[in-house]
Amino acid sequence: MDAHDAQPEGEQAPEETPRASLADLFVTFARIGLFTFGGGYAMLPMLQTEVVERRRWVGESELLNYYAVGQCTPGIISVNAATFVGYRLRGVVGGVVATLGVVFPSVVLITLIALFLERVVDHPIVQHAFAGVRVAVAALMLQAIVKLWKTGVRDVFGVFVFALGFAVAAFTELSPVIVVLSAIALGLIANHSGLVRHLKQSRDDERVRDQEKRP
Amino acid sequence: MKTLALLCFEFFKTGLFAVGGGMATLPFLYDMAARYPWFSARQLTDMIAISEATPGPIGVNMATYAGFTAAGVPGGILATLALVAPAIAIITCMARFLASCGANQNVEFAFYGLRPAVTGLIAAATFEVFKLTILRPDAFGQTGGLSRLFDWGALVLFAVVFVALMKTRLHPALFIALGAAAGVLFDL
């Protein structure tokens, strides 16, 4: 790991096809996985430092593009970004190696923690601690929903689909897969049938009315 | 052997259908908890805390932990690999065709339905966590008294953490540590 750190920084000019060995890819992405908490957007600054500034493997805007695509394809966003960068540098094998690198620290650390927790989980203090931790998790998850609601639920249709997804997952045995597939279908139908245009229209009308009300 | 194969299948499915990042994998995991004897909803909730407070993407941490609980070290490794396998395949294809989302109008339309639905799915997972923490559905069912519905001590802690989360930009791991301390101090 240190050998790579010793590379002179800032000397390599951005080339047409940046070079990276597979070992380089693995180690760099393992480091990114090791030093970011939370994943998703928390991983972006670390990727910028390691991949854009230090190694100059991809450009800033390219990385942001990968992130945007990673958000709208299945899977973990930061893992998707790793696959993209790896693929760009070393083809399919590069994509696989970068992804394995980014998940490697998780697999090792979590396995160690799980092994340790298995031994102490029956201790009363640990039980009480986790009872409190679960409450904190409940708050964290509600915060995540508030964030998602702000970007994802934009009109009556959104509220309807949200309620449907919640009800199916909370009160039936149906798989989330069915919810995901139906939601895609509903989104396509609503847009192609003109329902969305109708909703937008009524929202604009409302806005006009609001403006007229003002003195 | 059979467990490992099933585990791979379930996590592959999760990797394929969980759109929108780590949190989006949670509904699939709670679904697994309901259908298989691998781990309970309570264990999953503990795992979320560990995953938030440990380096690495949450979705990956959850897969390793859930797989480990279900089938030991091989389970943890296989579940993680199965989770990322569909993403590797999809991203590789997309990179090859230089596709990008947003360019295609139908992708935008699909997401118009997908985003609120995923929010609803995560809300259902959150409801599971509520039932384990601030709500007491059993006590409520027996007595019907509304005051029995809530675990008041937990509700106060929940409110404090939630308000602090919304008002500050402190790291989630800090709130998990706070929860642990409060749990020990107040015998939750």
Side-chain angles (χ1 to χ4, degrees):
Chain A
M1 202 191 266
D2 285 334
H4 300 294
D5 283 338
Q7 265 180 7
E9 279 173 41
E11 259 184 34
Q12 292 162 300
E15 297 161 27
E16 284 295 308
T17 46
R19 283 189 203 171
S21 72
L22 289 176
D24 233 2
L25 266 179
F26 185 87
V27 171
T28 303
F29 277 97
R31 196 196 341 242
I32 292 167
L34 183 61
F35 288 112
T36 32
F37 284 80
Y41 279 101
M43 203 163 256
L44 190 54
M46 189 72 187
L47 272 168
Q48 277 167 329
T49 313
E50 288 284 332
V51 173
V52 178
E53 287 161 26
R54 201 181 238 185
R55 314 234 177 261
R56 300 186 185 228
W57 282 342
V58 296
E60 176 92 38
S61 60
E62 208 180 342
L63 183 67
L64 289 174
N65 275 345
Y66 294 162
Y67 247 71
V69 177
Q71 258 187 311
C72 71
T73 46
I76 321 286
I77 299 168
S78 48
V79 171
N80 294 355
T83 310
F84 250 129
V85 176
Y87 178 83
R88 160 85 204 282
L89 294 165
R90 295 293 306 241
V92 176
V93 181
V96 173
V97 167
T99 307
L100 291 179
V102 88
V103 303
F104 178 72
S106 288
V107 173
V108 174
L109 272 176
I110 294 285
T111 303
L112 291 176
I113 291 172
L115 280 167
F116 167 73
L117 278 179
E118 252 184 358
R119 285 157 194 261
V120 298
V121 78
D122 292 326
H123 195 284
I125 290 191
V126 177
Q127 298 257 339
H128 284 304
F130 269 106
V133 161
R134 282 193 285 271
V135 177
V137 169
L140 281 168
M141 291 184 69
L142 187 63
Q143 185 211 19
I145 292 168
V146 171
K147 277 188 197 161
L148 286 167
W149 179 281
K150 280 178 188 161
T151 55
V153 185
R154 289 181 294 183
D155 48 31
V156 186
F157 175 83
V159 175
F160 170 72
V161 176
F162 169 86
L164 206 64
F166 174 79
V168 169
F171 306 116
T172 75
E173 304 276 292
L174 290 173
S175 161
V177 174
I178 292 167
V179 176
V180 167
L181 293 177
S182 326
I184 293 173
L186 280 175
L188 289 170
I189 292 168
N191 277 282
H192 284 297
S193 68
L195 173 70
V196 176
R197 223 177 309 131
H198 176 73
L199 287 172
K200 269 189 189 146
Q201 186 66 47
S202 62
R203 206 169 46 191
D204 290 344
D205 289 350
E206 226 167 84
R207 213 169 290 151
V208 171
R209 244 178 286 140
D210 283 350
Q211 276 170 352
E212 280 171 356
K213 267 183 212 162
R214 278 181 209 146
Chain B
M1 220 23 230
K2 200 175 160 229
T3 306
L4 285 179
L6 261 178
L7 201 64
C8 279
F9 171 70
E10 285 294 334
F11 276 91
F12 187 87
K13 211 166 73 180
T14 304
L16 190 58
F17 288 102
V19 187
M23 279 284 178
T25 63
L26 297 182
F28 292 85
L29 294 173
Y30 280 98
D31 182 50
M32 275 183 229
R35 286 188 297 118
Y36 296 100
W38 299 338
F39 39 77
S40 66
R42 185 184 298 263
Q43 278 175 307
L44 262 182
T45 312
D46 294 348
M47 288 178 203
I48 297 173
I50 304 279
S51 301
E52 289 257 19
T54 318
I58 294 167
V60 175
N61 291 354
M62 287 300 289
T64 305
Y65 208 149
F68 175 87
T69 310
V73 176
I77 294 170
L78 282 176
T80 310
L81 294 180
L83 180 81
V84 299
I88 293 181
I90 291 167
I91 294 289
T92 305
C93 288
M94 289 193 72
R96 184 163 291 172
F97 299 118
L98 285 173
S100 71
C101 45
N104 186 330
Q105 204 184 26
N106 276 323
V107 173
E108 198 187 308
F109 290 171
F111 267 86
Y112 180 70
L114 204 46
R115 272 193 212 99
V118 169
T119 311
L121 284 177
I122 298 175
T126 308
F127 183 56
E128 288 295 318
V129 181
F130 279 10
K131 282 196 283 189
L132 292 168
T133 52
I134 56 178
L135 297 179
R136 297 154 78 193
D138 296 343
F140 179 63
Q142 278 164 16
T143 62
L146 202 61
S147 67
R148 293 292 188 87
L149 178 61
F150 296 105
D151 183 326
W152 291 97
L155 190 65
V156 169
L157 177 62
F158 170 81
V160 169
V161 175
F162 183 69
V163 170
L165 270 170
M166 298 303 287
K167 298 275 176 201
T168 67
R169 292 178 62 88
L170 297 170
H171 197 276
L174 195 78
F175 294 103
I176 288 163
L178 182 83
V184 175
L185 280 176
F186 303 115
D187 272 0
L188 280 179

